[in-house]
Amino acid sequence: AREQRLAVAVQDAQLVSAMWQLARATRPPDNRPKARQGPWQPDAALWRNPEAALDAVAPTNTDYERLRGAYVRYLTIRDAGGFPALPEKLPRLRLGDRHDAVPALRARLAAEGFVAVGDTDRPPDVVDDRLVVQLSAFQASRMLPADGVLDDKTQEALRVGADTLVDRLQFGLHRWQLS
């Protein structure tokens, strides 16, 4: 069990590191974090208004703000009990397929904010165009091929809990603050 946890931790660190390097490399030059001149020194303003003082030293960057927004969103999901449960193992599902777990899959994707609008003329247990759009958006957010097919890799990503995502985002925020 310890070896499994260690292997997962190494994989998580590698994923976060790869995402971090990609984000830094693709950030436009005018959106790079501003370097601080020397260490931050607290002053009297800290004691009068600590929130404003801490906001003054927070990174001012749109990427950082999006990361912070995602952290708050997943923290809210985690504190509300996490994502809806999916059945243990689902078959490969694609457009037109039918399965009893499709409503649970829709609920899981919607809980994370992947909501598709459109006609609801198909039965709830059928993989329709809306679910394919939801799955594709989820897959793209996890750097998976966005084909809208529920395969093993997508199921693995769907099973990552909100607590793990909060930990990863918290690590990313901390790493950003140190840069």
Side-chain angles (χ1 to χ4, degrees), residues 5-107:
R5 288 193 312 269
L6 184 59
V8 168
V10 167
Q11 287 176 348
D12 281 352
Q14 289 171 342
L15 176 63
V16 168
S17 183
M19 290 169 50
W20 174 255
Q21 295 301 325
L22 179 65
R24 286 186 72 107
T26 59
R27 205 176 310 138
D30 61 335
N31 200 19
R32 295 195 190 279
K34 296 177 181 82
R36 290 195 191 108
Q37 301 299 322
W40 176 70
Q41 296 293 322
D43 59 12
L46 174 65
W47 308 115
R48 285 191 305 274
N49 189 350
E51 291 84 8
L54 291 174
D55 285 343
V57 295
T60 56
N61 186 288
T62 56
D63 291 338
Y64 178 80
E65 290 304 320
R66 282 194 313 220
L67 190 62
R68 212 166 97 176
Y71 175 73
V72 169
R73 187 174 75 243
Y74 285 106
L75 196 59
T76 303
I77 292 168
R78 184 197 71 186
D79 292 348
F83 298 118
L86 288 174
E88 194 60 35
K89 178 70 175 146
L90 294 170
R92 183 180 181 91
L93 295 174
R94 59 176 30 118
L95 183 63
D97 288 348
R98 199 173 212 140
H99 195 276
D100 293 340
V102 169
L105 178 59
R106 287 182 200 281

Side-chain angles (χ1 to χ4, degrees), residues 119-135:
D119 297 333
T120 57
D121 57 348
R122 291 195 184 183
D125 63 343
V126 172
V127 178
D128 60 6
D129 296 333
R130 294 178 320 133
L131 184 56
V132 168
V133 168
Q134 287 175 282
L135 270 172

